[in-house]
Amino acid sequence: MTAATFESLGLAPALAHACKEVGYLAPSAIQVEAIPPLLRGQDLLGLAPTGSGKTAAFVLPLLQRLAEGRQRAFRRVRVLVLVPTRELATQVGEVFRRLGGASAHPPRVSILHGGVSVNPQMMALRGGADIVVATPGRLLDLMERNALRLDIVEALVLDEADRLLDLGFAAERERVLAALPAQRQNLLFSATFPAEVQALADALLRDAVRVEAATQARSEPQITQRVIAVDAPRRTELLRHLVEEGKWPRVLVFVATRHATEHVAAKLRARGVQAAALHGELSQGGRTDVLRGFKEGAWTVLVTTDLAGRGIDIAGLDVVVNYDLPRSADDYVHRIGRTGRAGAAGLAISFTSAATEPHLRLIEKRNGLALPREQVPGFEPVETEAPPRADAGTGGIKGRRPSKKDKLRAAAAKGAPP
Ligand code: AMP
């Protein structure tokens, strides 16, 4: 491939310069594909995980189109980006601000999400917002309060559409779409492509160009995936051992429940590892502090769940550990996509035990993987068969009965090839 530059994709010199300022030397593959059609105003379907550079792929052309278009209007929004989580709202909003900041008339960006007081968001919207990055719940709340109008929106972006749907966006979608003008540009990004996302794309997009960044778990050689067999009760000790031996500065650890985030973080701290828990029941201030501490290096280990870990963008995240296996094969892809970002090498380690082995095989099968099982000297597993608890290793929720889904999964796992 000839080396594209930001200018050669059609971006104005000021934006191309802003890219260099933030350290993007050359456009990533998805940026090369997406930017030219987006500059022409086309709809776009992006099959892209976080870490592919997809945010700048839509931020850059939308900034350029805004600069070329009409002027700001009272309480009216021109670009609307919907995201599933607060963290992602902040991240995407910051990318708009950073890349748009260099222009002669920097756009106004409002970041709207729940978990914080609504009043400052309403105040900020009074002066108008060119760009709104929002989670759906707070957006609807503000629409009901007449804090903003969407009737001149020129471009709608649904980011991590699969996650938006997981979080109940289907129910909110009609109310948001009904407030938008019929004539607009639509962009939809998703890391996975289940039928519901396809249906959403069909309903939303017209003559869309389709761009695809390789799903990292399947084809990205820069993420080394390892599986270590260990008995469940020894996982914390093994984790501490690996963190110390590898001298990893930043490790994101996934567990199955909110309770487990606290529990594992506390056990690690008791063993001298700087660890913090990130989960959905922290206050917004608490989440921000924990994330900042992790980014700034106050914590070596951040223990989180799939929900809270979604969309976290941490430059230089070296290692992801599946302390508990994810429930689904797609969650596995999302989790390991937290590492090895934007060309940097990453490592994803999954712990497995006799009890979780069938579930891991199912995850591998769905993702076309066959990973060797390793053992770490001193931590060789001794358990040979599943303990009686049906949920061991996937959640550790004491006394929980297996659900219908759990039973189906167990049955399917038995039939899976070794
Ligand atoms: P995203 O997939 O949008 O979450 O982006 C993942 C990471 O890649 C972010 O930390 C971006 O700052 C970074 N990034 C995006 N585009 C480029 C680029 N062209 N060159 C280098 N890094 C980039």
Side-chain angles (χ1 to χ4, degrees):
M1 201 174 72
T2 53
T5 63
F6 288 105
E7 288 91 342
S8 73
L9 300 177
L11 289 173
L15 277 175
H17 182 70
C19 290
K20 298 204 174 94
E21 290 279 293
V22 298
Y24 305 167
L25 298 180
S28 71
I30 191 163
Q31 290 161 5
V32 171
E33 282 185 63
I35 289 172
L38 287 177
L39 283 173
R40 290 193 297 272
Q42 274 185 265
D43 281 5
L44 180 130
L45 177 62
L47 197 51
T50 298
S52 55
K54 70 175 158 86
T55 312
F58 65 82
V59 165
L60 289 164
L62 291 181
L63 281 170
Q64 180 144 327
R65 284 175 63 78
L66 269 185
E68 288 164 353
R70 285 171 299 198
Q71 288 312 299
R72 188 177 302 154
F74 183 64
R75 286 187 194 175
R76 283 171 153 179
V77 178
R78 296 175 56 200
V79 169
L80 174 63
V81 184
L82 287 175
V83 296
T85 63
R86 303 162 188 183
E87 277 79 22
L88 195 59
T90 307
Q91 267 163 224
V92 171
E94 289 301 328
V95 176
F96 271 111
R97 282 184 184 147
R98 232 182 300 144
L99 293 173
S103 83
H105 302 284
R108 251 188 221 239
V109 183
S110 276
I111 299 171
L112 311 176
H113 54 69
V116 294
S117 159
V118 75
N119 290 330
Q121 296 178 352
M122 288 181 66
M123 293 294 287
L125 285 167
R126 279 204 187 150
D130 302 294
I131 298 159
V132 161
V133 185
T135 54
R138 179 54 62 95
L139 178 75
L140 285 170
D141 186 5
L142 285 159
M143 282 162 63
E144 272 155 21
R145 293 166 191 256
N146 290 322
L148 79 174
R149 286 176 57 179
L150 302 179
D151 58 344
I152 63 159
V153 163
E154 294 156 43
L156 168 71
V157 183
L158 300 186
D159 195 11
E160 302 207 353
D162 47 355
R163 296 304 184 184
L164 277 171
L165 290 171
D166 280 355
L167 298 177
F169 177 63
E172 293 155 338
R173 151 177 125 192
E174 291 315 316
R175 287 162 68 199
V176 175
L177 295 187
L180 297 170
Q183 183 71 32
R184 56 170 202 267
Q185 189 176 16
N186 295 293
L187 288 64
L188 185 150
F189 289 88
S190 195
T192 59
F193 221 68
E196 308 87 78
V197 176
Q198 181 64 56
L200 183 59
D202 290 344
L204 212 60
L205 305 175
R206 263 172 246 143
D207 300 327
V209 279
R210 190 184 160 101
V211 302
E212 194 166 331
T215 309
Q216 301 197 353
R218 280 159 234 205
S219 56
E220 189 57 72
Q222 280 155 337
I223 300 178
T224 306
Q225 300 173 65
R226 291 173 57 190
V227 176
I228 302 179
V230 59
D231 290 334
R234 301 205 63 204
R235 286 175 296 176
T236 310
E237 237 177 293
L238 173 60
L239 182 56
R240 192 201 63 162
H241 170 80
L242 293 170
V243 169
E244 284 179 358
E245 194 187 53
K247 298 195 173 57
W248 300 326
R250 239 176 259 143
V251 185
L252 187 63
V253 173
F254 283 97
V255 295
T257 64
R258 181 189 67 75
H259 174 73
T261 62
E262 300 275 11
H263 185 64
V264 173
K267 281 206 291 186
L268 286 167
R269 282 197 299 273
R271 287 169 170 77
V273 178
Q274 295 298 325
L278 179 76
H279 57 73
E281 277 173 40
L282 288 177
S283 68
Q284 180 58 27
R287 285 161 76 110
T288 308
D289 286 350
V290 167
L291 270 175
R292 189 182 304 127
F294 189 53
K295 286 184 188 181
E296 291 174 356
W299 316 113
T300 308
V301 174
L302 187 65
V303 190
T304 191
T305 59
D306 286 302
L307 197 65
R310 226 158 255 176
I312 293 177
D313 176 21
I314 296 158
L317 184 56
D318 315 87
V319 186
V320 167
V321 175
N322 291 319
Y323 185 100
D324 287 322
L325 290 174
R327 290 187 78 89
S328 77
D330 284 345
D331 282 337
Y332 179 85
V333 175
H334 273 281
R335 284 184 180 186
I336 78 165
R338 309 291 98 183
T339 181
R341 301 164 74 75
L347 174 62
I349 293 181
S350 302
F351 290 163
T352 185
S353 65
T356 63
E357 187 57 25
H359 183 58
L360 178 58
R361 264 187 249 142
L362 209 62
I363 290 173
E364 289 182 280
K365 193 173 159 201
R366 299 245 163 95
N367 283 320
L369 296 166
L371 303 168
R373 308 302 190 248
E374 301 171 29
Q375 297 193 356
V376 174
F379 295 91
E380 293 87 352
V382 291
E383 283 175 7
T384 48
E385 58 187 41
R389 256 173 49 205
D391 62 334
T394 59
I397 313 160
K398 272 208 180 94
R400 191 179 143 257
R401 294 235 188 108
S403 68
K404 221 182 218 173
K405 257 193 190 160
D406 289 333
K407 284 180 192 157
L408 282 173
R409 201 175 285 125
K414 267 189 200 145

